[in-house]
Amino acid sequence: MADGSAVTSPAVADASKVTSPTMIGRVGVVGAGLIGGSIALALAAAGVEVLLRDDDPEQVRLVEALGGGRPWPDGERVDHAVLAVPPHAVAAVLLDLQKSGSAGTSSDVASVKCTPVAEAAALGCDLSTFCPAHPVAGRERGGAASARIDLFRDRTWVLCPTDETGPVALAAADAVAQSCGAVPVRTTPQQHDAAMALLSHVPQVAASLLAGLTAPLSDDDFQLAGQGFRDMTRLAESDPALWASILEGNRSPVADGLDRLATALAKLATVLRDGGPEAVGVAVRDSFGVGGAARRRLPTKVGQALPEWSWVGVVVSDRAGQLAALFRAFGEWGVNVEDVRVEHSREAPRGVLELAVAPEVAASLLERLATAGWTAYRRD
């Protein structure tokens, strides 16, 4: 696909047409998995025309069925392309789009920035029309089936323009982020990779290795696992192939972070093995104190608050037809459900369905539910 020849910058739209999320134009998404699919859904919901491309047509078909755009045929041009592909694939995909003239500008979503930029430069890509970017959001489950329209709402979307990145490419990447409901922030590729090594990549390694330590345990032993272990190892279900690409692209910063973690663990292990009670107390207080102080520096929110919904809980019997009857009633009453949560134990004969609705309908909804024989309450 790539022959390494330099690429001449194709004509792009005037910058004024992409600085506003409502005027972003046509966007192509390459890679219709979790991140690409979620971007497509969010952009489509914002009124943006979205075209989809993926090596797996089933992923495109599913995102299209969810309302995230339509297939992107060869020869059709978009104003901006989002490269939702693994870090090792960014440069080649970018070159392919530029050589075919398929996109005016491009950005990516990889959680590594320096290596893809260097690879793109080595292939002869036109970096003036490319803005490296990284939406800081995701899930353990991948694929289009896991895509969510609100995945990026009020989440950080890092823009990492290089010295070569032009204003049109930067404006388009910013507009994509805002159209997805994210909060764009700017930094350099180098600072991004150094920070993400400690905030994302090392935690992923730690979670996976921690979960791996429990492999010798029996199924009965796992019955003893509490919420702490579940929280700590949640990331261990992530895709190993994707993470191989991420770690390959950010080797040095991740290795440095792992060395620091290993040193801290070894120091604590030595004290636990050989130190007296006082030494153990000091070591734990010091190390845990530093960790707690760092944890408290996390921002409580990135952007604007989430929509103010009212939550209504409904007790639902564990028998066929109950959920259908409840939602049928909501439909007849013209009540739109914004979100749903289920609280239910397998052994219990009934559970609770919590539903997010507009605040102005919550009170009347409780009355209607009570009249219809449902046990309901307002949670907020």
Side-chain angles (χ1 to χ4, degrees):
M1 176 176 66
D3 61 6
S5 59
V7 176
T8 302
S9 173
V12 294
D14 183 80
S16 64
K17 296 186 184 300
V18 292
T19 53
S20 168
T22 60
M23 300 174 65
I24 192 174
R26 179 186 291 178
V27 174
V29 178
V30 182
L34 167 64
I35 300 300
S38 297
I39 291 172
L41 291 174
L43 290 178
V48 177
E49 183 182 0
V50 181
L51 279 65
L52 303 163
R53 183 175 294 175
D54 195 289
D55 290 339
D56 182 357
E58 182 65 18
Q59 299 296 297
V60 171
R61 186 192 67 80
L62 184 51
V63 175
E64 181 182 16
L66 292 171
R70 61 179 174 84
W72 182 3
D74 292 339
E76 191 162 357
R77 180 180 170 81
V78 299
D79 299 305
H80 185 79
V82 179
L83 282 54
V85 297
H88 71 269
V90 169
V93 173
L94 177 62
L95 181 64
D96 185 54
L97 288 175
Q98 292 184 345
K99 290 183 67 175
S100 64
S102 299
T105 58
S106 302
S107 60
D108 72 321
V109 303
S111 64
V112 177
K113 298 273 71 86
C114 291
T115 296
V117 169
E119 292 173 345
L123 287 179
C125 294
D126 176 15
L127 298 185
S128 70
T129 65
F130 175 56
C131 181
H134 174 210
V136 187
R139 304 178 67 188
E140 299 76 52
R141 298 170 55 196
S146 299
R148 293 186 50 150
I149 196 172
D150 61 348
L151 186 66
F152 310 106
R153 183 181 298 158
D154 297 314
R155 304 296 293 271
T156 298
W157 195 301
V158 191
L159 305 179
C160 303
T162 66
D163 292 339
E164 292 84 2
T165 300
V168 176
L170 176 58
D174 182 271
V176 167
Q178 293 191 54
S179 295
C180 290
V183 181
V185 299
R186 285 182 59 174
T187 188
T188 65
Q190 295 77 14
Q191 184 60 32
H192 169 277
D193 287 0
M196 292 307 295
L198 297 181
L199 295 174
S200 175
H201 305 163
V202 170
Q204 173 66 59
V205 174
S208 295
L209 296 183
L210 175 61
L213 289 178
T214 66
L217 297 179
S218 68
D219 290 346
D220 288 341
D221 290 329
F222 273 102
Q223 298 297 321
L224 306 180
Q227 194 59 44
F229 178 80
R230 297 177 187 275
D231 291 343
M232 285 287 294
T233 59
R234 177 179 59 84
L235 297 174
E237 294 188 52
S238 299
D239 180 10
L242 173 61
W243 274 97
S245 178
I246 293 172
L247 298 181
E248 166 65 27
N250 204 24
R251 286 187 180 200
S252 183
V254 174
D256 291 343
L258 290 175
D259 282 341
R260 292 170 57 186
L261 178 60
T263 298
L265 291 173
K267 181 178 179 181
L268 182 56
T270 298
V271 173
L272 291 174
R273 188 175 293 110
D274 303 326
E278 183 176 350
V280 170
V282 170
V284 171
R285 285 193 297 271
D286 287 350
S287 59
F288 283 30
V290 171
R295 178 67 169 76
R296 287 189 289 274
R297 292 172 60 192
L298 284 173
T300 55
K301 61 180 180 179
V302 176
Q304 299 176 348
L306 292 173
E308 293 295 333
W309 295 330
S310 290
W311 286 87
V312 173
V314 184
V315 177
V316 180
S317 298
D318 189 7
R319 66 175 189 270
Q322 288 295 287
L323 291 178
L326 180 61
F327 283 106
R328 184 166 54 250
F330 274 49
E332 293 172 353
W333 299 335
V335 176
N336 186 51
V337 177
E338 304 289 352
D339 200 359
V340 177
R341 297 173 182 170
V342 179
E343 294 290 337
H344 180 240
S345 297
R346 287 180 295 179
E347 298 82 5
R350 58 188 57 85
V352 172
L353 198 69
E354 294 185 336
L355 309 113
V357 298
E360 59 269 21
V361 306
S364 60
L365 178 60
L366 287 174
E367 295 177 2
R368 283 181 164 180
L369 287 167
T371 301
W374 298 93
T375 300
Y377 62 92
R378 187 162 178 169
R379 202 204 61 172
D380 46 272

